[in-house]
Amino acid sequence: AAAGAEAAAVAAEEEKRLPEGDPESGGDSEDEGDSDSSGDGEDEEKENEAEIQRLEEQLSINAFDYNCHLDLIKLLRQEGELVKLRRARQKMSELFPLTEEIWLDWLKDEIKMASESSEREKVYELFERAVKDYICPEIWLEYAQYSIGGIGQEGGIEKVRSIFERALTAVGLHVTKGTALWEAYREFENAILETAQPAPGSVPSPEQQQMLCSQLEKIHTLFRRQLGIPLLDMEASYAEYEEWSEDPIPETVIKSYKKALQQLEKCKPYEEALLGAETPKLAEYQAYIDFEMKAGDPARIQLIYERALAENCLVPDLWARYNQYLDRQLRVKELVLSAHDRAVRNCPWTVGLWIRYLLAMERHRVDHGTISEMFEKALNAGFIQATDYVEIWQAYLDYLRRRVDFTQDSSKELEELRSAFARAVEYLKQEVEERFSESGDPSCTIMQNWARVEARLCNNMQKARELWDNIMTKGNAKYANMWLEYYNLERAHGDTQHCRKALHRAVQCTSDYPEHVCEVLLTLERIEGTLEDWDAAVQKTENRLARVNEQRAKAAEKEAALAKQEEEKAEQRKQARAEKKASKKAKKTRIGDKRKADDADKGEWGQEEAEQPSKRHKGDGDGVLLEEDMEVETGLFGRSGPEKPDCPANQKEKASTSRKDIPKVLHDSSKDKVTVFVSNLSYNMSDPEVKLKELFESCGEVAEIRPVFSNKGTFRGYCYVEFKEEKSALQALGLDRKVVEGRPMFVSPCVDKNKNPDFKVFRYSTTLEKHKLFISGLPFSCTKEELEDVCKAHGNVKDIRLVTNRAGKPKGLAYVEYENEAQASQAVLKMDGLTVKEHVIKVAISNPPLRKLPDKPEAGRAAQFAVPRQVYGARGKGRTQLSMMPRALQRQGNPMAKAENGMIQNSPATSSEPPEEPKKMSNADFAKMLLKK
């Protein structure tokens, strides 16, 4: 009777779990008599059917589309397609570990349909699969509560207890959620105790009395076990035990309880940090893991790792650290292999996890067929780099090599190893090279290892030589290190004749370091060769080095010729600019002479301008000045005529003239921390102080804005913005790349480049980012919103950055950041080669090339005019030493005077008088000297 009551209570509990309006529960809140609603429902049903068909077709093309699986399951559950829904969930669970929410929905749907004992067994199997994906307290609690429904069957009570014990082992130490499991277990045991109580007024038999004592002891034990574990609300559990127990609590239990309380106080800061942190909480979990690692309790370390992975299942490094801990510390076969399996199912694109899995399977002596099957899965995982395939093949070949007993001349394992080597070479050549346009193994490391196995372990130098011959035909014959690797193998396992032959070929073919292989050949002949061998080697090396030196000399001559041509072109351009400038100067001088004749009363001013004309920047209003000159010359208004109205050109001229009178403000380097440097502004910006002050006042109080003007008085497009506080300057850096008057404004820290010549501001990463894509070939008209619409179909897009030039114009490039590596790798497969507005785009994982650092310039302004010493580079003296000093300066610094016919006069070797000190020149003299030729 008690068992029947318990089953009825469980059934009532299951009814409470049924969601209202669920399509499978039979409930329908809509009015079926409403024809309009019925018509709308039919249209929606047709749309859903079409969407289901589309999703199924998409999954048939790409079964690893995670979001597509989710959408299909949601639609099938909404439509009540139970058979298709079960099949869709099954397919997804085979490819991916399912989250807690997906498992709970699936389990609840199956529980509602399970009525017979055979169907209950299927639900039990489903629960067993669910608890293996992630350690989730809610799933374990649901499992235990569901098992109570089978308490009336044979062995039902023991089965429930077994599930509760497994749940406590898995998540009973969970600080925040473990208490619910302990309480559910105690409630179950209390319910059994109630059924064992004798009827009121009756005397219990000895068997009943023994059963009661046994049941009471079980409940006591549960209380004591729970109070020895640091869990939230421990005080309430202790008070409940005091109230429930008829006997006083033992002293040992109290000590254990106080110790757990102390441990709870140590854990609370980490739990509070997790509670207040935002997803993904990686830093908080890592701090918690480090804390538990110092404590050294394996069960608690395992639990905190599992908690971290439940929220960060797509972080390969976290899986790698967890698996490394299990491999080195726990070494429990079922636990280790389960963790490795979940790791590669969550992050299949990470080759390191697959390699660790293969090693763990070999370490725990898993059968060969299972390991080979897992390796085939790894090949189909979709790695994002060609080198990943080389690594996984190498790991599998290492495993096969360790299986071979090389004391036997021939064996099944040895043949399998050789066939695997051959398949690896073919796979990299066909599959990998077709996908990545490279094999990932340019130096043929797999073939080199194969040759070493044949030579050292199989004593088959003939096969090793064939392999090395194949390696050299793949473009490696020009590298000295490849020949020396083969020579060392021949030296160790071959004979002198083949060593000599290899070195002779190396001398002939090597192009990077021929001197090195020549030296090795001569060393071999010096130790083991005959006189004839020595003579042949010397002749061979001398001829080869002579040809190499000749080739290098020709290359140097060609380089020098090209450099000379460039120098001549530069000289021609320089001469053309000088002639153009001289003609402008002559024209201006003529106009100045006329003005001088008309304005005799301003003679001093006119003379000064004629002698030293003001420098004009290209496009700085030359036309306006010429117009004014013409007005003076023809007397359009007369000398005392009316003033010209304030036209825009005059206003600009007045503003420029007023700025000329402002003294230059030097930057105070002691204020670098409160100052930012703003550049790439428009040259045509009027009143930059006012506009920039309005822009930067949002960051804090602005002390001063110092725009930089040219000698003409025009704005040069950059300025210094000084704040009152350092935090305002730091906040101002956030305005970097903000568009101001159609151009991206650059905001960077104010750093003295003389003191910090290597300082460079570049706020974007220059390393490999597997969660970020680089897209090229975009149409210039493509906007950020349009690109986001294309990218969000393949995952959650966190950020999109369109690359522009300094003027703010698009360059057809973009960076797209996804939430994780899985979404990024899927997007590469689907978007590469996609057509966007009649442009075929290229998509790849973001991996920018290394940025080349510019050579450091000579320090100081005097270094520009001093005769430089010979400074050689890291590779010694160059073959061409081109002087970058103007010839005029070289002639000026030379004390030897040159006659018109080219003969040297007053040579220092013949003249006893000391050379005269060179005369100091003004800027005008310096310009005349440069333009003389």
Side-chain angles (χ1 to χ4, degrees):
E6 192 71 36
V10 173
E13 184 67 25
E14 291 179 11
E15 290 178 2
K16 292 179 183 177
R17 296 196 197 107
L18 292 175
E20 294 183 5
D22 189 272
E24 300 162 21
S25 64
D28 193 355
S29 60
E30 295 183 0
D31 186 3
E32 297 180 358
D34 193 340
S35 59
D36 294 337
S37 300
S38 177
D40 294 341
E42 290 178 359
D43 293 340
E44 184 179 356
E45 185 177 352
K46 291 181 180 179
E47 291 178 1
N48 289 342
E49 288 178 357
E51 181 65 14
I52 289 171
Q53 185 176 357
R54 186 190 68 81
L55 292 172
E56 288 176 342
E57 291 176 355
Q58 187 170 344
L59 286 176
S60 65
I61 299 172
N62 180 15
F64 289 92
D65 193 331
Y66 189 88
N67 292 326
C68 190
H69 280 285
L70 292 180
D71 294 340
L72 179 61
I73 290 173
K74 182 179 179 181
L75 272 178
L76 291 174
R77 194 165 191 256
Q78 180 180 340
E79 291 297 312
E81 297 283 351
L82 302 182
V83 177
K84 290 184 178 181
L85 176 62
R86 183 179 293 168
R87 187 166 59 246
R89 284 167 167 166
Q90 182 69 28
K91 288 183 179 179
M92 185 176 182
S93 67
E94 292 173 357
L95 297 173
F96 304 100
L98 304 185
T99 63
E100 179 183 332
E101 294 77 11
I102 297 175
W103 272 120
L104 288 175
D105 288 341
W106 189 358
L107 290 166
K108 289 177 181 179
D109 290 344
E110 295 293 343
I111 287 172
K112 287 182 290 187
M113 295 184 290
S115 56
E116 301 178 358
S117 58
S118 60
E119 294 175 343
R120 289 184 65 85
E121 288 299 323
K122 292 182 180 179
V123 176
Y124 282 131
E125 293 175 2
L126 202 60
F127 268 114
E128 288 295 330
R129 291 173 54 191
V131 296
K132 289 179 181 178
D133 274 357
Y134 300 106
I135 291 187
C136 300
E138 288 80 2
I139 294 180
W140 275 110
L141 185 59
E142 190 77 20
Y143 190 9
Q145 290 176 345
Y146 177 72
S147 66
I148 296 176
I151 198 173
Q153 300 177 356
E154 183 179 356
I157 293 179
E158 293 304 320
K159 186 172 184 177
V160 174
R161 284 175 176 159
S162 172
I163 293 173
F164 266 118
E165 288 295 335
R166 290 173 58 201
L168 291 180
T169 302
V171 293
L173 299 178
H174 199 297
V175 176
T176 57
K177 298 181 179 180
T179 304
L181 269 171
W182 287 99
E183 291 178 350
Y185 196 0
R186 286 204 317 273
E187 289 298 325
F188 169 72
E189 295 293 351
N190 274 320
I192 295 178
L193 178 63
E194 291 295 328
T195 61
Q197 294 287 351
S202 62
V203 178
S205 63
E207 292 80 7
Q208 289 177 330
Q209 189 66 33
Q210 184 179 359
M211 181 180 177
L212 283 172
C213 292
S214 174
Q215 190 63 25
L216 285 170
E217 185 60 29
K218 283 184 173 65
I219 299 175
H220 274 290
T221 303
L222 282 176
F223 267 118
R224 293 167 186 170
R225 288 169 61 190
Q226 180 182 355
L227 293 176
I229 299 173
L231 300 171
L232 290 183
D233 298 330
M234 289 185 65
E235 298 84 353
S237 300
Y238 184 80
E240 183 182 350
Y241 186 29
E242 281 185 318
E243 181 181 355
W244 180 84
S245 178
E246 297 177 356
D247 301 326
I249 300 178
E251 189 66 26
T252 56
V253 177
I254 295 176
K255 287 183 179 180
S256 179
Y257 166 69
K258 290 182 178 179
K259 184 178 179 181
L261 270 179
Q262 293 175 356
Q263 191 174 0
L264 178 63
E265 291 301 319
K266 296 179 181 179
C267 295
K268 273 186 178 180
Y270 298 99
E271 293 290 346
E272 291 171 356
L274 288 174
L275 189 63
E278 297 181 357
T279 305
K281 310 179 184 179
L282 271 174
E284 291 76 15
Y285 271 119
Q286 188 57 52
Y288 206 164
I289 290 171
D290 294 339
F291 165 73
E292 293 292 359
M293 291 287 281
K294 291 179 181 178
D297 186 344
R300 299 191 64 81
I301 294 172
Q302 180 191 355
L303 179 63
I304 190 59
Y305 262 120
E306 291 286 354
R307 288 177 61 185
L309 288 167
E311 296 190 45
N312 299 277
C313 59
L314 298 178
V315 180
D317 291 341
L318 188 59
W319 280 109
R321 292 196 295 271
Y322 181 39
N323 290 336
Q324 185 181 61
Y325 170 76
L326 295 178
D327 287 334
R328 296 180 179 179
Q329 302 297 329
L330 295 187
R331 302 178 183 176
V332 180
K333 178 178 179 180
E334 292 75 13
L335 185 60
V336 169
L337 295 182
S338 173
H340 279 288
D341 183 69
R342 289 186 291 138
V344 298
R345 291 176 66 200
N346 276 284
C347 307
W349 63 89
T350 307
V351 68
L353 296 178
W354 286 100
I355 293 175
R356 289 186 178 92
Y357 193 9
L358 294 178
L359 291 172
M361 295 175 78
E362 182 184 2
R363 197 175 294 120
H364 291 281
R365 302 187 184 283
V366 177
D367 65 276
H368 174 61
T370 304
I371 296 178
S372 298
E373 182 180 348
M374 192 56 59
F375 168 71
E376 295 297 333
K377 287 184 179 179
L379 286 182
N380 297 321
F383 300 131
I384 59 178
Q385 291 181 339
T387 54
D388 293 344
Y389 288 93
V390 179
E391 293 180 26
I392 193 65
W393 267 111
Q394 193 58 65
Y396 183 61
L397 292 169
D398 292 344
Y399 156 71
L400 293 179
R401 194 265 308 161
R402 289 189 286 266
R403 295 180 68 241
V404 179
D405 181 8
F406 289 100
T407 59
Q408 302 178 9
D409 293 337
S410 179
S411 64
K412 179 182 177 182
E413 290 78 9
L414 178 58
E415 294 304 319
E416 184 177 2
L417 174 62
R418 284 172 171 161
S419 63
F421 268 119
R423 183 190 168 200
V425 173
E426 189 66 22
Y427 186 91
L428 294 177
K429 180 181 178 181
Q430 298 292 335
E431 302 290 337
V432 177
E433 194 165 350
E434 180 180 350
R435 178 180 172 188
F436 296 97
S437 299
E438 59 167 326
S439 66
D441 190 18
S443 58
C444 302
T445 55
I446 288 182
M447 294 183 70
Q448 288 188 46
N449 290 332
W450 187 2
R452 294 187 188 103
V453 169
E454 293 289 353
R456 297 177 185 177
L457 301 177
C458 301
N459 298 318
N460 188 354
M461 272 305 298
Q462 183 61 34
K463 179 65 176 177
R465 292 180 185 120
E466 292 177 3
L467 291 169
W468 267 104
D469 186 65
N470 196 0
I471 291 172
M472 292 305 182
T473 59
K474 294 183 180 296
N476 292 302
K478 58 185 177 181
Y479 300 116
N481 66 316
M482 299 296 288
W483 283 107
L484 295 179
E485 186 70 30
Y486 173 42
Y487 166 74
N488 290 332
L489 190 67
E490 281 284 0
R491 192 74 172 158
H493 307 284
D495 52 58
T496 305
Q497 187 62 30
H498 283 92
C499 288
R500 182 177 291 111
K501 183 178 178 181
L503 289 177
H504 275 273
R505 289 180 61 195
V507 170
Q508 190 69 26
C509 300
T510 302
S511 59
D512 55 351
Y513 299 105
E515 297 87 351
H516 192 27
V517 292
C518 290
E519 181 182 353
V520 175
L521 175 59
L522 294 176
T523 302
L524 173 68
E525 301 300 357
R526 179 175 287 113
I527 296 174
E528 299 186 16
T530 63
L531 178 60
E532 290 77 9
D533 295 332
W534 172 260
D535 290 339
V538 170
Q539 183 180 0
K540 184 95 171 179
T541 54
E542 287 179 349
N543 292 339
R544 176 58 178 162
L545 292 179
R547 288 197 303 271
V548 169
N549 291 331
E550 183 180 354
Q551 292 172 358
R552 289 174 178 173
K554 288 182 179 179
E557 290 176 2
K558 186 176 181 181
E559 182 182 353
L562 291 175
K564 186 176 180 181
Q565 290 179 4
E566 291 296 327
E567 185 180 5
E568 290 175 354
K569 290 180 180 178
E571 190 68 28
Q572 291 174 2
R573 289 194 296 267
K574 182 178 177 181
Q575 186 175 357
R577 287 196 300 268
E579 292 175 355
K580 185 176 181 181
K581 190 172 182 179
S583 63
K584 286 185 178 180
K585 179 181 176 182
K587 182 178 180 181
K588 198 179 300 180
T589 304
R590 289 194 300 272
I591 295 175
D593 291 340
K594 292 182 180 180
R595 184 189 302 153
K596 180 178 176 182
D598 291 342
D599 298 337
D601 55 338
K602 297 181 182 180
E604 184 178 352
W605 181 85
Q607 181 182 0
E608 181 180 351
E609 183 177 65
E611 291 180 356
Q612 187 174 350
S614 61
K615 297 179 181 178
R616 286 196 181 103
H617 287 285
K618 191 173 183 179
D620 272 352
D622 289 345
V624 176
L625 290 176
L626 289 175
E627 181 183 350
E628 182 179 339
D629 294 342
M630 290 179 66
E631 290 171 356
V632 174
E633 181 181 356
T634 57
L636 183 62
F637 295 109
R639 202 164 289 148
S640 59
E643 294 182 0
K644 291 187 290 183
D646 288 341
C647 63
N650 293 336
Q651 291 177 359
K652 182 177 179 181
E653 183 179 351
K654 287 182 179 180
S656 301
T657 305
S658 64
R659 290 192 185 107
K660 288 181 186 177
D661 300 333
I662 300 175
K664 292 185 177 180
V665 181
L666 299 176
H667 174 63
D668 187 359
S669 60
S670 64
K671 297 183 179 180
D672 282 349
K673 293 185 177 180
V674 295
T675 307
V676 296
F677 180 69
V678 184
S679 59
N680 202 43
L681 297 170
S682 174
Y683 290 175
N684 298 324
M685 178 181 288
S686 59
D687 294 330
E689 299 99 325
V690 177
K691 289 193 176 182
L692 293 177
K693 187 172 184 179
E694 293 177 356
L695 185 63
F696 282 97
E697 276 182 339
S698 60
C699 303
E701 185 178 357
V702 178
E704 184 183 9
I705 294 181
R706 299 190 295 277
V708 180
F709 296 94
S710 65
N711 294 334
K712 187 67 178 176
T714 57
F715 182 45
R716 297 185 64 181
Y718 59 91
C719 67
Y720 297 90
V721 180
E722 181 183 329
F723 293 89
K724 292 286 188 181
E725 298 179 350
E726 183 178 352
K727 64 179 182 180
S728 302
L730 295 175
Q731 187 176 352
L733 297 176
L735 297 177
D736 187 35
R737 311 284 170 162
K738 181 178 177 64
V739 178
V740 177
E741 295 190 1
R743 296 172 64 90
M745 174 180 67
F746 299 161
V747 184
S748 58
C750 191
V751 176
D752 188 353
K753 290 297 184 68
N754 292 327
K755 298 180 180 179
N756 301 277
D758 296 330
F759 178 79
K760 182 71 176 175
V761 176
F762 191 74
R763 65 174 186 170
Y764 301 112
S765 174
T766 58
T767 58
L768 174 65
E769 296 178 282
K770 295 185 179 180
H771 66 291
K772 186 179 289 187
L773 304 184
F774 173 68
I775 303 178
S776 59
L778 289 168
F780 292 161
S781 61
C782 182
T783 64
K784 183 176 180 179
E785 291 75 16
E786 292 173 341
L787 183 58
E788 184 176 6
D789 291 339
V790 176
C791 298
K792 69 182 181 181
H794 312 297
N796 296 327
V797 178
K798 292 180 64 177
D799 185 39
I800 292 180
R801 176 167 66 92
L802 295 177
V803 182
T804 61
N805 58 18
R806 296 180 66 89
K809 303 299 182 182
K811 300 175 68 175
L813 309 174
Y815 289 91
V816 180
E817 182 179 357
Y818 283 92
E819 277 192 348
N820 51 62
E821 299 174 16
Q823 295 178 359
S825 59
Q826 290 297 322
V828 171
L829 296 176
K830 295 182 179 179
M831 293 174 56
D832 189 29
L834 189 68
T835 301
V836 177
K837 292 185 177 180
E838 299 182 355
H839 285 69
V840 178
I841 64 173
K842 293 183 179 180
V843 184
I845 297 296
S846 176
N847 188 16
L850 294 177
R851 299 173 66 86
K852 295 184 179 179
L853 297 176
D855 296 334
K856 294 183 180 180
E858 292 288 338
R861 182 175 178 83
Q864 300 175 8
F865 302 102
V867 179
R869 295 177 297 172
Q870 276 192 318
V871 179
Y872 304 140
R875 298 181 62 180
K877 181 178 179 181
R879 304 198 177 276
T880 58
Q881 295 289 346
L882 301 180
S883 174
M884 303 305 294
M885 179 178 295
R887 291 191 177 91
L889 283 183
Q890 290 178 355
R891 288 193 296 271
Q892 180 65 24
N894 190 352
M896 295 180 295
K898 201 171 187 180
E900 290 184 1
N901 59 0
M903 298 299 293
I904 298 176
Q905 298 177 354
N906 297 331
S907 173
T910 59
S911 176
S912 61
E913 296 181 1
E916 294 184 2
E917 189 174 353
K919 181 181 177 182
K920 294 183 179 179
M921 296 184 295
S922 66
N923 288 342
D925 295 332
F926 182 73
K928 290 176 181 178
M929 180 184 66
L930 287 178
L931 299 175
K932 188 175 182 180
K933 296 295 183 180

